[in-house]
Structures are given as structure tokens and as C-alpha cells.
Amino acid sequence: QVQLVESGGGLVQAGGSLRLSCAASGNIFTINVMGWYRQVPGKQRELVAALTKAGNTNYADSVKGRFTISRDNAKNTVYLQMNSLKPEDTAVYYCNADLFVAGSGRRYNYWGQGTQVTVSS
């Protein structure tokens, strides 16, 4: 079994910063991609940023230049540094991991429980 545990959400004023963390634990062989998605009520979940094990990144246009994704492969942890936050960044942020479970030879996709980020104007 694999778990993703997020932390770091909260309330911040516009222009402020937050750092999200997501630690993956369990029967993991290797993690291919770790990323962050966000969702607001009534809308589809959208990609914010993703980072491959090799170090390739993908960012939503709306966060380029403001958010930075990084990971510690040894700790199976991914981070999202969010700067210059805007009210429209308000959402529930979900961690995602695409990984191989140890001993199974199979690839799975897991989600964290979500953490609320609220940016006040």
C-alpha cells in the first residue's frame, strides 16, 4: 500500500508565499512522476506542476514564473514553492504520484488527500 501525505496549505494574503510538501510512503519501487494538481468547486482538477525523476518539469501557464516544483528522490517527497500568490490560486491542492509498486512490476497512480490553499485579496 502507498500513501501520499500533504502539508503546508493555509491562508495567505495576495502577494504572499506558501510551500507545499508531499511525502510518499509504502511499498514503492520507484516514482516516475510527482506533481501537484488543484481543484475549485464546480471545475475540473487541473495540473499545476509536475516533475519527472529525470528532472523534467511541466507547469501550467498560469503559474509559470511564480511556482517552483522540486523533489527529493531519496525521501520520495515533492515540494511546491508558491510565490506571488493571487486570489485565483485559491483551491484544494492535490499531490499525485505515478510509480511502480515494489515486487509487483506494475505501475500505479496515487493521489493525496488534498490541502486547502486560500489567498485573500
Side-chain angles (χ1 to χ4, degrees), residues 2 4 37 55 88 104:
V2 174
L4 302 182
Y37 289 71
E88 50 263 44
S104 73

Side-chain angles (χ1 to χ4, degrees), residues 3-96:
Q3 285 188 321
L4 302 182
V5 179
E6 300 139 337
S7 61
L11 173 64
V12 64
Q13 287 189 332
S17 298
L18 282 174
R19 188 189 193 213
L20 305 182
S21 300
C22 171
S25 63
N27 201 22
I28 299 169
F29 176 67
T30 189
I31 302 177
N32 303 309
V33 184
M34 295 192 82
W36 292 93
Y37 289 71
R38 65 188 182 188
Q39 189 170 24
V40 297
K43 292 191 176 182
Q44 286 191 330
R45 193 172 296 186
E46 63 174 4
L47 173 70
V48 177
L51 176 57
T52 70
K53 189 175 182 179
N56 298 310
T57 58
N58 184 25
Y59 290 97
D61 288 342
S62 60
V63 307
K64 284 180 180 177
R66 300 188 297 122
F67 291 10
T68 302
I69 189 170
S70 60
R71 64 190 274 183
D72 184 332
N73 290 328
K75 295 181 179 180
N76 288 334
T77 299
V78 66
Y79 307 96
L80 184 68
Q81 179 65 44
M82 304 185 292
N83 298 328
S84 302
L85 283 160
K86 304 175 181 180
E88 50 263 44
D89 294 317
T90 295
V92 177
Y93 284 69
Y94 295 90
C95 177
N96 178 268

